[in-house]
Structures are given as structure tokens and as C-alpha cells.
């Protein structure tokens, strides 16, 4: 599935109301590790058709970042049925990511 | 089984440079990467010594290489290579997921930081123990930290940390430093830097988070606990060559032996970058190895 860039306006419909699990990548333009993570997320998106992946720029969406306790980037939060189910902070390998999210 | 002409193991500077050349030579090229692409350099804040580029961040350098390799036609997959097998004239590279066949393999697994060899070190890595002050230093703002090592990396790390940590203790097992004299002088002038020579770390304290380290002065046979939140190890590097330990010749330190054309002891297997025996381990030499190995591999594959 394509990785969607979301904002505070689309967060509700794209993430909270989604039927399928949604992995949200809280990133920032100035964050190096976020850039390194991008190709890994891209590969996961290509392989996992049952998972939706979205990107949210924390500088453009400060309130959402605060609401979900994002203190460092990248932070990835897996939402299931509108609930933040799991959180991973920092750059990690694809295997670690899939393992920690039990995907 | 998926077939390639050239398989490159490791997407650091050497591996991605090799990928650019192999793909541009029209070879079906696969790069396997176990972590994130870019290798060690993504930990560098600024690179100022790569010929032709005045200044660039390590991440931008790595991403540039990655994009260049992909645009040249190389395929990069985030899978760790776990085994290499020989089958007639083919080589088979296995990951946990799949096997890939090819005519030539380029080993570009690089090097990683040497652990201190302390009990619970792996467990506390990321919870107080770190191998990269430039990467993790900011987490210890206003806190007490220690750096272990005697070379330039240790000295630079101590300098960087002293900018924002409450206190930095530099610990070295010998009585003098291998690193630059000027940096040592600079450290001595900083009021929040303490230097302990002839001293080693013997244990890590703290449950889930590092709270202190046990240190021993070798000359005075004295041992005590130093309260620190962060411990930065800068005691050199070790090659990531376990994958081929029983396959190709290694030197006494575990680096892969290869000739001027990056050929290893086994035909069709090449080694490039920090993982091979050589004098200088830098981006420019890693890139040069990648180019050399790729063009040599292309003649075979
Ligand atoms: C903090 C820091 C700053 C530096 N600054 C500079 C600088 O300013 N200028 C300079 O010239 N050099 C600098 N260097 C040195 C430079 O980074 C290295 O010389 C260079 O990265 C070597 O490249 P490489 O491709 O050989 O290895 P690496 O960069 O180590 O890349 C190897 C890659 O292979 C992967 N890998 C390993 N095993 C496997 C496997 N089994 N399967 C799949 N993938 C695997 C690793 O995950 C890694 O991504 C610096 C190094 C550090 C640590």
C-alpha cells in the first residue's frame, strides 16, 4: 500500500476510524534517522497489504504529537481500532520493527 | 530462486558504491542490508573530508548514495545475509526469508563498535550504555557521563559531551592518550571534564537504567563507584565478518584478506570497505573499494 502523508485534519478519518491497523510514522523534516527509516517503511508498505502506513510531520501537527506523547523522532505508533496499541521510538531495522509490532 | 549477477552484502558506503557501478554496468544487482542503509556514516553529524563535497551530514551522504544506487537500477532489500553457499559456479546467499543465487558476491559488511566486554553491557545498551556520543549524547543533557577510550574518537566524544553534560569523566587504561595532543589539552582546560588514566571500568551498576560504573585504578589497586547516567564506549572497532569466517581467509583481527582488486581467497567473492584488511578506513577508501570490487565482479558475473 502507498504511504500516506496525513495531517491533523485527516488523522481522524485516516487513522482513528480505519478498520485495518495503521502504523503512523511521527517524523520531522530535520530528523536524520527519519530519513533512514523511510526506505524501510516503504519496503514494509509494499509487502504488507493488510497494514496501512501513514506519515505525520510533528512540526506541522504539534498538538497530535503532544497528545500521543511523542518526545523524539522518529516515533512509530501502531493504532488498532483507533487505539494507540504500540509505540517504537528511534531508528531500528526492519526485522526489529516487524518483531516489536508482532506483524 | 531469484537470480542476480552480483549480490552485495551491506548497504554502507562500500556496498552502495559497488551497487552503483555494478548496476550501471548492466548487471542484475541486489544489495542486502540487515539494519538501515548507509552504514556507520549515518552517525556522523558532518562529513568534511570527502573529496569534492565540502560539507554534508552523514545521513544526507548516505541517502544520496542510496538513491543513486536505486536509480542506477540496483535492488536494495532490508534483509540480513545469514549464509553463503557454493553451488557449482553459482553462489547462494541466504537470508532468514529467502535464498538468492548469483555469479559474484561482494562482502561489504563494514565494522562495528567494539564492546567493552562487561557483564550486562548488551542489556543496558540504549539504557545508559552507548557507542556513539554524536548520536545519543543529547539524551544526557545536564547529566553525568563517562567516556572510555584513549583514541581520537574518545577524545572527541568527551569534548562533545562536555558542551552540555554536567560532568564528563574520561577513562583510559593507559597513562597517555593515542589521540591528538591538542584535544587532550582542550579537555584539561574544561572545568566539567575529569580525566582518569590507568583506570578501567569493571562493572555496570543500575537495574534497568545505568546509574553508575565501578572503576579501578590499575596503579593504585583502588576501586570505587562513579555515579553516571551515560557511559560512552569508544574503544575501537571490530569487523563484521562472522558470516564468512569459515569461507574466506581472515587476518588475526577478523578482517577479510583481499588483494588490490578486492579478491578474497575464494574466487567470485570480493571484499570491500571497512571489513577488509587495509590501512585506512574512511568513506573515500570504502567507495574506492566498492568501485574496484564491482568492476572486478562484473568481469565474472
Ligand atoms: C561516528 C563516525 C564518524 C565518521 N566520520 C567519518 C568522516 O567524517 N569521514 C570519513 O571518511 N569517514 C568517517 N567515518 C568512517 C566511515 O564511516 C567508514 O569508513 C565507512 O562507513 C565504511 O563503509 P563500509 O561500507 O565499509 O562499512 P559500514 O559503513 O560499516 O557499512 C556496512 C553495512 O553492512 C551491513 N551489514 C553487516 N553485516 C550484514 C549482513 N550479514 N547482512 C546484511 N547487511 C549487513 C551493516 O548493517 C552496515 O549497514 C566515520 C565513522 C563513524 C562511526
Amino acid at each position: 500500500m502507498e504511504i500516506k502523508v496525513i495531517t491533523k485534519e485527516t488523522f481522524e478519518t485516516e487513522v482513528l476510524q480505519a478498520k485495518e491497523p495503521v502504523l503512523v510514522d511521527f517524523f520531522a523534516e530535520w530528523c536524520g534517522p527519519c530519513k533512514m527509516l523511510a526506505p524501510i517503511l516503504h519496503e514494509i508498505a509494499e509487502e504488507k497489504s493488510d497494514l496501512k502506513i501513514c506519515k505525520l510531520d510533528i512540526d506541522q501537527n504539534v498538538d497530535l504529537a503532544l497528545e500521543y506523547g511523542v518526545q523524539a523522532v522518529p516515533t512509530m505508533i501502531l493504532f488498532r481500532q483507533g487505539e494507540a496499541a504500540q509505540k517504537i521510538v528511534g531508528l531500528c531495522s526492519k526485522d526489529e520493527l516487524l518483531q516489536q509490532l508482532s506483524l | 530462486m531469484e537470480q542476480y549477477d552480483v549480490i552485495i552484502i551491506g548497504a554502507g558506503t562500500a556496498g552502495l558504491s559497488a551497487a552503483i557501478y555494478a548496476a550501471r554496468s548492466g548487471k542484475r544487482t541486489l544489495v542486502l542490508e540487515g539494519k538501515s542503509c548507509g552504514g556507520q556514516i549515518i552517525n556522523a553529524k558532518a562529513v568534511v573530508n570527502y573529496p569534492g563535497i565540502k560539507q554534508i551530514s552523514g545521513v544526507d551522504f548516505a541517502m544520496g548514495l542510496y538513491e543513486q544506487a536505486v536509480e542506477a537500477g540496483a535492488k536494495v532489500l532490508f534483509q540480513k545475509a545469514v549464509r553463503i553457499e557454493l553451488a557449482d559456479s553459482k553462489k547462494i546467499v541466504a537470508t532468514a526469508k529467502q535464498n538468492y543465487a548469483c555469479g559474484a558476491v561482494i562482502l561489504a559488511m563494514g565494522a562495528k563498535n567494539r564492546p567493552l566486554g562487561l557483564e550486562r553491557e548488551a542489556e543496558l545498551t540504549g539504557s545508559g550504555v552507548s557507542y556513539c556520543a554524536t548520536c545519543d549524547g543529547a539524551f544526557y543533557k545536564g547529566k553525568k557521563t563517562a567516556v572510555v577510550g584513549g583514541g581520537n574518537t574518545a577524545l572527541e566524544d568527551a569534548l562533545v559531551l562536555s558542551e552540555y553534560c554536567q560532568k564528563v569523566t574520561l577513562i583510559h587504561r593507559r597513562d597517555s592518550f593515542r589521540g591528538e595532543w591538542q584535544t587532550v589539552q582542550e579537555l584539561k582546560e574544561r572545568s566539567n571534564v575529569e580525566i582518569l588514566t590507568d583506570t578501567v571500568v569493571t562493572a555496570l551498576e543500575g537495574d534497568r537504567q545505568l546509574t553508575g560504573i565501578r572503576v579501578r585504578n590499575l596503579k593504585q589497586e583502588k576501586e570505587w563507584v562513579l555515579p553516571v547516567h551515560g557511559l560512552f564506549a569508544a574503544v575501537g572497532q571490530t569487523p563484521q565478518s562472522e558470516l564468512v569466517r569459515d569461507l574466506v581467509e581472515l587476518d588475526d583481527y577478523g578482517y577479510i584478506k583481499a588483494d588490490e582488486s578486492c579478491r578474497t581467497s575464494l574466487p567470485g567473492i570480493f571484499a570491500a570497505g571497512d571489513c577488509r584488511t587495509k590501512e585506512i578506513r574512511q568513506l573515500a577508501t570504502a567507495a574506492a573499494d566498492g568501485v574496484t570490487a564491482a568492476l572486478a565482479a562484473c568481469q565474472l558475473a
Side-chain angles (χ1 to χ4, degrees):
Chain A
M1 237 190 274
E2 193 80 5
I3 296 183
K4 267 196 182 156
V5 180
I6 54 168
T7 63
K8 48 186 174 295
E9 284 79 30
T10 54
F11 189 79
E12 174 82 33
T13 47
E14 292 288 356
V15 180
L16 299 182
Q17 291 171 9
K19 297 257 176 325
E20 67 273 56
V22 188
L23 183 65
V24 182
D25 170 24
F26 289 81
F27 77 103
E29 285 298 339
W30 45 264
C31 152
C34 299
K35 293 185 198 166
M36 309 313 301
L37 184 67
I40 296 178
L41 289 179
H42 188 74
E43 194 171 299
I44 295 176
E46 272 184 357
E47 284 171 8
K48 303 246 170 235
S49 52
D50 49 348
L51 176 75
K52 182 166 161 185
I53 304 184
C54 299
K55 282 166 68 109
L56 184 91
D57 186 334
I58 57 155
D59 291 319
Q60 310 291 332
N61 304 279
V62 181
D63 292 347
L64 275 177
L66 282 176
E67 186 179 336
Y68 288 99
V70 175
Q71 291 174 335
V73 273
T75 290
M76 279 155 288
I77 300 181
L78 182 69
F79 289 84
R80 289 183 192 276
Q81 315 287 310
E83 295 286 331
Q86 253 159 324
K87 189 175 186 175
I88 296 178
V89 181
L91 178 62
C92 58
S93 76
K94 183 180 162 197
D95 287 345
E96 284 165 348
L97 191 69
L98 293 179
Q99 222 164 44
Q100 286 190 43
L101 295 176
S102 345
L103 287 171
Chain B
M1 204 186 311
E2 274 182 50
Q3 303 279 332
Y4 289 89
D5 296 316
V6 180
I7 295 183
I8 298 160
I9 304 177
T13 301
L16 291 173
S17 300
I20 294 168
Y21 272 74
R24 287 184 59 86
S25 303
K27 301 292 177 189
R28 290 168 300 170
T29 307
L30 173 67
V31 184
L32 294 171
E33 170 56 56
K35 294 214 171 95
S36 65
C37 60
Q40 295 164 62
I41 202 58
I42 65 170
N43 299 316
K45 222 170 174 176
V47 176
V48 294
N49 54 11
Y50 193 83
I53 303 177
K54 276 201 234 162
Q55 178 164 356
I56 189 167
S57 78
V59 163
D60 287 344
F61 181 84
M63 283 313 283
L65 264 177
Y66 169 78
E67 284 162 15
Q68 201 176 354
V70 170
E71 279 164 29
K75 183 160 182 183
V76 180
L77 288 178
F78 293 99
Q79 293 178 26
K80 183 179 175 171
V82 293
R83 211 171 47 251
I84 300 176
E85 282 161 18
L86 308 176
D88 302 325
S89 64
K90 291 271 174 208
K91 320 259 172 312
I92 296 174
V93 181
T95 70
K97 238 177 139 181
Q98 221 171 315
N99 288 355
Y100 303 94
C102 66
V105 174
I106 299 176
L107 306 169
M109 288 95 68
K112 65 167 191 265
N113 296 307
R114 192 189 297 280
L116 295 169
L118 296 170
E119 223 169 285
R120 299 177 53 232
E121 184 172 344
E123 185 190 321
L124 287 170
T125 298
S127 304
V129 177
S130 166
Y131 303 89
C132 179
T134 352
C135 329
D136 302 332
F139 292 121
Y140 301 95
K141 204 169 173 175
K143 303 217 164 117
K144 290 181 181 160
T145 55
V147 176
V148 185
N152 274 324
T153 309
L155 299 178
E156 297 283 340
D157 283 359
L159 211 55
V160 167
L161 293 169
S162 71
E163 300 281 343
Y164 46 76
C165 289
Q166 186 194 353
K167 189 179 165 195
V168 180
T169 307
L170 176 60
I171 301 167
H172 183 35
R173 66 193 155 101
R174 302 193 195 287
D175 62 357
S176 64
F177 289 92
R178 267 177 298 118
E180 267 176 46
W181 179 83
Q182 219 173 359
T183 322
V184 178
Q185 297 313 307
E186 218 173 307
L187 284 170
K188 282 183 176 164
E189 279 164 22
R190 303 218 167 171
S191 59
N192 63 341
V193 175
E194 174 189 35
I195 299 179
L196 299 176
T197 49
D198 298 309
T199 304
V200 293
V201 180
T202 57
L204 303 170
E205 310 242 316
D207 240 2
R208 292 168 140 212
Q209 183 75 36
L210 187 75
T211 54
I213 52 177
R214 186 162 274 281
V215 293
R216 184 216 296 268
N217 182 301
L218 299 171
K219 288 233 166 105
Q220 299 160 6
E221 284 299 326
K222 200 173 70 175
E223 201 166 303
W224 71 99
V225 172
L226 201 69
V228 294
H229 281 101
L231 176 68
F232 293 86
V235 293
Q237 295 192 312
T238 112
Q240 308 212 68
S241 56
E242 309 83 54
L243 175 68
V244 292
R245 206 173 37 201
D246 303 320
L247 204 62
V248 300
E249 265 178 53
L250 306 181
D251 71 14
D252 293 344
Y253 303 97
Y255 289 97
I256 302 163
K257 287 191 188 171
D259 68 8
E260 193 59 26
S261 306
C262 296
R263 290 188 188 93
T264 67
S265 57
L266 201 68
I269 301 200
F270 301 82
D274 278 16
C275 65
R276 85 173 175 102
T277 304
K278 59 173 170 177
E279 281 291 316
I280 310 295
R281 295 196 173 85
Q282 288 282 292
L283 295 175
T285 57
D289 273 6
V291 175
T292 308
L295 295 179
C298 286
Q299 289 182 353
L300 287 183

